[in-house]
């Protein structure tokens, strides 16, 4: 039974509201020490450490850490027509939506001969993490690779854990998705060690260090990304998935129950949260959950997630209060199913992705909406954003001034440099303007 949090009668202050939000007990910070050991082992011992970690965590080391091109080609050839069509359509939609995320350059003219150009340069080389623990995620291949390609990244390395049930190989569907996208640099490695390998490189397998690491994973992957941040860039410390649904009594309780269940099946630490103005609706949703859980092969995992401290039903007085609660929680996925969805949406400022209306479940965004499903978790949507083409771009300012334009501002530069006791700064200007 999902816990209930009753916030009717007036919301508490923000600090207390943040404390009351349902969260998993084992967060990223608990995994940092273990992740640091794994990352450092790979940094010091390279391929040997990767193979040792595969034996410990994945049930066996791969024959080849770098996946042979022939294996990728065979995986593409082995796709069913139904799955290939689905992947092709997902790629098409994500590519179209990602293209809209590429900023255009601009030129600001401040005076005659005084220009500041804004340009966006793609990362030189990136590493993309595709999880493979409790499920197979070819969709994550699409969500990571496509925006990087749209941004113009030319060097892409993809890593995914070797699979015990596939003889120590990367899951063939993941390989096939990579092959469809033209990615031929794929490595059979996972967890914190894989993040370390991307950050520092591994000479014996031809893996050069990357500049940015993106992609979802468990808490150890997120902890490893925290450790290497600064050596490389990261997208976010993505942990266990979560969904928050804002609904009133006009929503369909079966739809909401199905959506809460859908995200809970990812992981025992996945969070499912319903925020509603109606106790009767909350009762109806909770009554609808057991039947849906029992019908799925993932029932044990689901029940653990739904009964955990990270899942809850939250009762509030109004939809405005529901939006306040949601903003404090900062959900990875937010669904809005109410009598006035647009009014609720106008009050939302913190969410990874927002799914509006009864025909827009999170599952749509996981696969075929065109949006990206690599999103901030654990409340990071309050200050972070999801993966997009812009993630792989660096804004740069290019400044061009003529001699006359420099002379026009020279007195101001001298005045400011003098005030800051930096005479060399002033001299670098007067050297030019006093000739």
């Amino acid at each position: 039974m999902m816990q209930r949090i009753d916030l009717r009668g007036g919301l508490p202050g923000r600090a207390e509201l943040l404390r009351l939000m349902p969260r998993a007990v084992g967060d990223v910070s608990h995994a940092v020490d273990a992740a640091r050991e794994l990352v450092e082992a790979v940094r010091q011992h390279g391929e040997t450490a990767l193979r040792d970690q595969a034996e410990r965590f994945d049930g066996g080391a791969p024959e080849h850490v770098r996946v042979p091109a022939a294996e990728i080609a065979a995986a593409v050839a082995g796709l069913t027509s139904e799955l290939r069509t689905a992947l092709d359509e997902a790629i098409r939609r994500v590519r179209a939506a990602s293209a809209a995320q590429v900023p255009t350059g601009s030129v600001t003219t401040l005076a005659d001969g005084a220009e500041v150009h804004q340009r966006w340069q793609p990362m030189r080389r990136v590493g993309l993490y595709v999880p493979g623990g409790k499920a197979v995620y070819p969709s994550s291949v699409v969500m990571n690779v496509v925006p990087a390609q749209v941004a113009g990244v030319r060097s892409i390395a993809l890593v995914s854990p070797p699979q015990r049930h596939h003889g120590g190989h990367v899951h063939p569907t993941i390989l096939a998705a990579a092959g469809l996208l033209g990615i031929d640099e794929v490595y059979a490695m996972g967890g914190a060690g894989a993040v370390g390998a991307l950050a520092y490189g591994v000479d014996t397998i031809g893996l050069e260090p990357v500049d940015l690491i993106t992609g979802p994973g468990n808490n150890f992957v997120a902890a490893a990304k925290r450790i290497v941040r600064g050596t490389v860039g990261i997208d976010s410390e993505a942990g266990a998935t979560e969904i928050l649904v804002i609904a009133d009594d006009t929503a369909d309780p079966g739809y909401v129950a199905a959506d809460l269940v859908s995200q809970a099946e990812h992981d025992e630490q996945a969070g499912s949260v319903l925020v509603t103005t109606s106790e009767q609706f909350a009762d109806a949703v909770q009554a609808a959950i057991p039947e849906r859980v029992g019908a799925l092969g993932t029932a044990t995992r689901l029940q653990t997630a739904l009964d955990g401290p990270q899942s809850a039903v939250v009762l509030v007085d109004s939809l405005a209060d529901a939006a306040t609660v949601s903003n404090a929680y900062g959900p990875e996925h937010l669904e809005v199913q109410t009598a006035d969805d647009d009014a609720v949406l106008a009050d939302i400022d913190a969410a990874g992705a927002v799914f509006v209306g009864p025909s827009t479940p999170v599952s749509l965004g996981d696969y075929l909406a065109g949006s990206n499903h690599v999103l901030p978790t654990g409340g990071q949507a309050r200050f972070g954003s999801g993966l997009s083409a812009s993630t792989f771009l660096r804004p740069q300012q290019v400044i061009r001034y003529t001699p006359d334009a420099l002379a026009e501002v020279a007195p101001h530069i001298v005045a400011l440099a003098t005030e800051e006791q930096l005479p060399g700064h002033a001299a670098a200007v007067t050297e030019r303007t006093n000739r």
Side-chain angles (χ1 to χ4, degrees):
M1 178 67 69
M2 293 169 67
Q3 64 172 314
R4 288 204 179 184
I5 301 173
D6 195 338
L7 298 180
R8 292 173 295 184
L11 297 181
R14 185 167 175 79
E16 178 66 8
L17 190 56
L18 288 169
R19 188 190 68 80
L20 290 172
M21 290 297 96
R23 298 290 186 196
V25 173
D27 63 10
V28 172
S29 61
H30 290 77
V32 168
D33 289 342
R36 182 174 286 108
E37 290 184 11
L38 296 170
V39 168
E40 191 59 28
V42 171
R43 185 180 186 181
Q44 296 293 328
H45 305 292
E47 184 179 1
T48 300
L50 288 171
R51 290 186 173 279
D52 288 345
Q53 291 173 23
E55 291 282 0
R56 289 170 59 190
F57 304 119
D58 301 314
E63 180 182 0
H64 304 286
V65 177
R66 178 161 180 171
V67 179
E71 189 174 336
I72 299 173
V76 173
L79 282 173
T80 64
S81 59
E82 181 181 39
L83 186 52
R84 176 157 187 164
T85 299
L87 283 169
D88 284 340
E89 182 63 12
I91 291 168
R92 185 188 72 80
R93 289 175 178 242
V94 175
R95 196 176 297 281
S98 297
Q101 298 162 351
V102 178
T104 57
S106 63
V107 179
T108 303
T109 301
L110 300 161
D112 286 343
E115 294 179 349
V116 176
H117 299 243
Q118 184 73 52
R119 70 176 187 173
W120 299 82
Q121 293 294 97
M123 300 282 183
R124 182 192 65 85
R125 176 169 167 79
V126 302
L128 312 180
Y129 189 95
V130 177
K134 296 180 173 66
V136 54
Y137 296 106
S139 57
S140 286
V141 178
V142 176
M143 300 293 174
N144 276 273
V145 172
V146 170
Q149 290 179 332
V150 168
V153 177
R154 294 184 178 180
S155 181
I156 297 175
L158 189 147
V159 302
S160 191
Q163 300 287 308
R164 180 180 294 112
H165 300 302
H166 290 276
H169 295 265
V170 174
H171 196 287
T173 311
I174 289 176
L175 293 180
L180 287 176
L181 287 160
I183 302 300
D184 59 7
E185 187 181 352
V186 181
Y187 299 90
M189 55 187 181
V195 173
L198 289 171
Y200 299 110
V202 180
D203 288 342
T204 58
I205 57 175
L207 174 57
E208 294 183 352
V210 303
D211 301 315
L212 174 74
I213 299 173
T214 74
N218 60 21
N219 282 341
F220 292 97
V221 172
K225 289 165 79 174
R226 176 181 295 183
I227 291 162
V228 302
R229 185 174 193 169
T231 299
V232 296
I234 65 170
D235 54 345
S236 66
E237 298 176 8
T241 190
E242 62 205 21
I243 180 175
L244 185 146
V245 181
I246 295 177
D248 59 18
D249 56 10
T250 67
D252 186 313
Y255 287 179
V256 173
D259 295 346
L260 295 172
V261 167
S262 72
Q263 289 305 298
E265 74 174 345
H266 275 287
D267 187 89
E268 288 85 352
Q269 288 192 320
S272 294
V273 180
L274 168 63
V275 182
T276 182
T277 54
S278 169
E279 188 168 8
Q280 291 72 28
F281 180 78
D283 292 340
V285 170
Q286 290 200 268
I289 286 176
E291 177 184 358
R292 287 160 175 78
V293 170
L296 300 172
T298 49
T300 301
R301 187 190 312 159
L302 277 163
Q303 202 60 59
T304 301
L306 292 169
D307 289 345
Q310 70 273 20
S311 297
V313 173
V314 182
L315 297 173
V316 294
D317 287 322
S318 66
L319 291 176
D321 283 354
T324 300
V325 169
S326 179
N327 288 332
Y329 182 84
E332 176 190 18
H333 306 99
L334 169 62
E335 287 189 0
V336 181
Q337 300 183 38
T338 67
D340 193 348
D341 295 337
D342 287 339
V344 175
L345 183 61
D347 287 336
I348 296 298
D349 56 51
V354 186
F355 300 81
V356 180
S359 298
T360 318
V362 167
S363 296
L364 175 66
D366 283 343
Y367 300 111
L368 262 298
S371 56
N372 203 293
H373 78 201
V374 182
L375 301 165
T377 62
Q380 293 181 84
R382 291 184 290 113
F383 50 82
S385 58
L387 197 68
S388 70
S390 61
T391 304
F392 300 95
L393 294 166
R394 294 161 296 175
Q396 293 179 340
Q397 298 177 83
V398 179
I399 301 93
R400 294 180 185 273
Y401 269 58
T402 63
D404 287 345
L406 177 62
E408 183 180 348
V409 296
H412 305 313
I413 296 171
V414 170
L416 290 167
T418 301
E419 177 64 23
E420 294 184 357
Q421 300 181 41
L422 297 171
H425 284 59
V429 173
T430 56
E431 175 81 14
R432 291 167 167 81
T433 57
N434 288 345
R435 288 190 178 184

